[in-house]
């Protein structure tokens, strides 16, 4: 089956009765228009102003964070790239599942991991925005287009398993994003740019303040006509562009209820549509979220506290086609239509914090709940889908924690402990015959639960003259997502089976660090050891032709199952350095080397000694800022990655990759700048994945962009 025309292929996605639809579409566009109009009018509005500094509801840093491996990026560093995930690549070892960015990556492969420890679609890093988890409640991935850089003031990246206030899910670390406080009137940041491939991006954030209350909002829109990700030498009629249309909007109301106590109410929505590079394959992700926060800061002699509740309602349509005609790639055939994935995540966190002399402490509790179901048509035969599959369930994790830190005589000593209870319930797989509706498969999975203690400890010693040494140890865990537990699927000719018996992943680690801050020159280095036990990974268990719960695997196709495959040991070293010679010259560099090896045990002995899928051992990042004349800044960023493998058996090499980005910025006024930027300056072919037939998929070619930016 081959789509007759572009219009047919990009028509409206078919929906079905019973589907849950979070608000989006036209409502999102209308809301975005009103928000942009309101922000634009702010400078002309006269407000009764008072000399007020509104206390933020943002969670404070954990009491002993400086004893761990932490990297901080400010808003400027985050806004110089087309997307937030691309800006975060300045952190070596941080990556999505594959090399491609969120401009072209399917939502289900946008999970993020740190230290290159076994990247996965679900991700092994917790992403938060002012304390609210941003990971999808069904799959754990992150919709990066829903987090416009104009809205983000800073990012704090904490590497190593989280304990204390971070909780479950922070297996390889935490990316803690902070929204702009927005305690003034007018724009905080705005961008409008256009580039090759008809790439367009607009974003704005700003607000108003009246007395002790403020209203802050952001909006963004991004579009790309995309590129065909298969090389011309291998390309056929089955191949098409990867495209993107994404919108997001958010609004936050914050007020000081009484002295020092802040109420913050925030809501947001996103809508993202993509074509996936194969004729007929596409996705549509959308969702809404909301949070309420009450906070009172700690001070000497007075306790601080924080209460926060949040909810996320998401949906995903994901339609996949298989390539027909072998290496000639002459057409496509439907393999799966995931017509709805309604999911709801909700939770809360609470903390009490105090300071006594040289000792800071915090105790708290948090809980996260998720329920969702994939609804999809499968097994295409005779021109129709013959199976309608429903699969899903519920998960929950909640815990108590305590953490303290003492500072004396140049020492920082910190320790934290958590106890979490996790559970997966109501797991099910229902398959119906189309069109009769007769039951083909009806499975209820056993409920599972458990309790896990975790910890982290650290010490830091200031040596004088800006020098320090530190040491840390930690343990964390991540419970499997609903997607990993219950959803089987077919992608191309390969079948991936779910596994309701999956256990939580656990990570143990220790590290030693040293660094210095000499003002114009700062540096640090860390030697680390991490062990990821019960690693959830895709294990090849057979080849087609074979009938499975996910459909029929044709000849040449692989049958894969998610399994807890032994453990992964990673020994590595990472470091960063920044040098500012003067106002005209600044240089920075970072690296991460991680020798990670799989030990598959009895479950997957064929993986022993193999490199984890999509894991590069070495990452190098370098940046340069030069101001050759007043108002002109030239910037460059280079990133190198060593070889990756697209499969668990390390037979499909993706080679090394080098990308160079460049940007020239002219400051038009104190707040407005014009720029020209080029991504992938050398037009490098960046391989992102490779099939068993040898066909390679590539990331974006060279793209020139021009734009205007505003920064308050």
């Amino acid at each position: 089956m081959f789509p007759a025309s572009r219009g047919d292929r990009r028509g409206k996605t078919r929906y079905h009765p019973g589907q849950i639809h979070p608000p989006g579409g036209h409502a999102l566009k209308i809301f975005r228009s009103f928000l942009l109009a309101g922000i634009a009018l702010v400078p002309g509005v006269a407000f009764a102003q008072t000399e007020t500094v509104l206390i933020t509801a943002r969670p404070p840093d954990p009491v002993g964070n400086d004893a761990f491996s932490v990297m901080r990026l400010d808003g400027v560093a985050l806004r110089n790239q087309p997307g937030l995930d691309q800006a975060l690549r300045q952190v070596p070892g941080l990556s999505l599942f594959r090399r491609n960015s969120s401009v072209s990556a399917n939502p289900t492969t946008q999970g993020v991991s740190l230290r290159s420890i076994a990247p996965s679609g679900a991700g092994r890093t917790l992403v938060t925005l002012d304390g609210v988890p941003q990971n999808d409640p069904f799959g754990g991935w992150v919709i990066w287009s829903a987090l416009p850089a104009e809205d983000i003031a800073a990012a704090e990246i904490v590497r190593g398993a989280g304990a204390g206030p971070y909780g479950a899910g922070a297996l390889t670390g935490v990316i803690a994003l902070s929204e702009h406080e927005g305690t003034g009137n007018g724009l905080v940041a705005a961008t409008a740019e256009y580039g090759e491939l008809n790439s367009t991006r607009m974003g704005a954030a700003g607000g108003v303040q009246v007395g002790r209350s403020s209203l802050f909002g952001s909006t963004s829109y991004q579009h790309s006509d995309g590129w065909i990700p298969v090389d011309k030498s291998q390309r056929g009629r089955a191949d098409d562009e990867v495209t993107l249309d994404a919108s997001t909007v958010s609004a936050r109301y914050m007020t000081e209820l009484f002295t020092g106590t802040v109420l913050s109410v925030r809501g947001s929505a996103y809508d993202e549509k993509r074509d996936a590079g194969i004729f007929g394959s596409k996705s549509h992700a959308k969702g809404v979220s909301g949070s309420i926060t009450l906070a009172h800061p700690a001070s000497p002699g007075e306790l601080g506290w924080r209460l926060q509740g949040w909810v996320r309602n998401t949906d995903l349509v994901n339609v996949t086609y298989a390539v027909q005609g072998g290496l000639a790639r002459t057409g496509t055939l439907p393999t799966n239509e995931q017509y709805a994935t309604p999911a709801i995540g909700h939770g809360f966190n609470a903390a009490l914090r105090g300071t006594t002399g040289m000792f800071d402490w915090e105790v708290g509790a948090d809980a996260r709940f998720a329920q969702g179901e994939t609804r999809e048509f499968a097994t295409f035969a005779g021109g129709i889908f013959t199976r309608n599959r429903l699969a899903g369930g519920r998960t929950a994790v909640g815990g108590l924690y305590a953490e303290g830190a003492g500072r004396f005589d140049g020492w920082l000593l910190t320790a934290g402990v958590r106890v979490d209870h996790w559970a997966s319930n109501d797991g099910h797989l229902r398959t119906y015959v189309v069109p009769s509706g007769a039951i083909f498969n009806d499975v209820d999975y056993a409920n599972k639960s458990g309790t896990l203690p975790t910890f982290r400890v650290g010490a830091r010693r200031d040596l004088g003259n800006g020098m320090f040494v530190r040491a840390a140890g930690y343990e964390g865990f991540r419970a499997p997502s609903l997607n990993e537990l219950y959803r089987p699927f077919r992608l191309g000719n390969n079948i991936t089976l779910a596994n309701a018996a999956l256990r939580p992943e656990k990570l143990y680690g220790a590290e030693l660090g040293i660094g210095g801050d000499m003002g114009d020159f700062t540096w640090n280095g860390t030697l680390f050891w991490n062990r990821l036990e019960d690693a959830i990974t895709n294990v090849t268990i057979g080849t087609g032709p074979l009938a499975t719960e996910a459909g029929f695997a044709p000849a040449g196709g692989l049958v894969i199952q998610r399994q807890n495959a032994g453990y992964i040991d990673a020994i590595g070293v990472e470091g960063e350095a920044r040098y500012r010679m003067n106002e005209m010259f600044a240089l920075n560099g970072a690296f991460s080397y991680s020798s990670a090896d799989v030990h598959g045990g009895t479950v997957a002995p064929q993986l022993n000694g193999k490199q984890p899928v999509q894991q590069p051992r070495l990452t190098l990042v370098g940046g340069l800022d030069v101001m050759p004349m007043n108002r002109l800044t030239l910037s460059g960023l280079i990133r190198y990655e060593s070889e990756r493998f697209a499969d668990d058996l390390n037979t499909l090499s993706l080679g090394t990759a080098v990308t160079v980005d460049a940007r020239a910025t002219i400051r038009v006024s104190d707040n407005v700048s014009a720029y020209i930027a080029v991504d992938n300056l050398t037009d490098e072919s960046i391989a992102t994945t490779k099939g068993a037939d040898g066909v390679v998929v590539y990331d974006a070619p060279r793209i020139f962009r021009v734009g205007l930016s505003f920064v308050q």
Side-chain angles (χ1 to χ4, degrees), residues 2 4 7 65 120 133 141 144 151 155 163 240 273 292 295 371 380 387-388 407 464 476 507 515 540 566 630 638 704:
F2 194 81
N65 245 19
S120 76
W141 48 75
W144 293 99
D151 190 44
D240 189 24
K273 297 179 181 178
I292 300 177
Q371 63 183 72
F380 191 83
R387 301 286 185 267
N388 185 14
R407 295 171 174 81
L507 186 140
T540 302
N630 190 29
I638 184 171
F704 283 90

Side-chain angles (χ1 to χ4, degrees), residues 269-357:
Y270 68 85
D271 189 279
E272 179 186 275
K273 297 179 181 178
R274 300 174 178 272
D275 286 329
I278 299 294
F279 271 100
S281 296
K282 57 188 174 182
S283 67
H284 184 187
K286 56 184 176 179
V288 295
S289 63
S291 64
I292 300 177
T293 307
L294 274 171
H296 186 87
S299 61
E302 183 179 12
L303 295 178
W305 52 268
R306 190 169 188 269
L307 299 171
Q308 184 178 71
W310 55 271
V311 62
R312 292 176 63 85
N313 188 349
T314 67
D315 195 10
L316 174 65
V317 173
N318 206 26
V319 181
T320 60
Y321 278 61
V323 174
Q324 300 292 293
L327 291 176
R329 303 174 71 83
T330 56
T332 61
L333 189 72
T335 58
N336 185 274
E337 184 179 334
Q338 187 179 1
Y339 59 83
T341 316
I344 296 177
H346 58 98
F348 74 89
N349 56 75
L352 184 66
R353 187 168 181 143
T355 299
T356 304

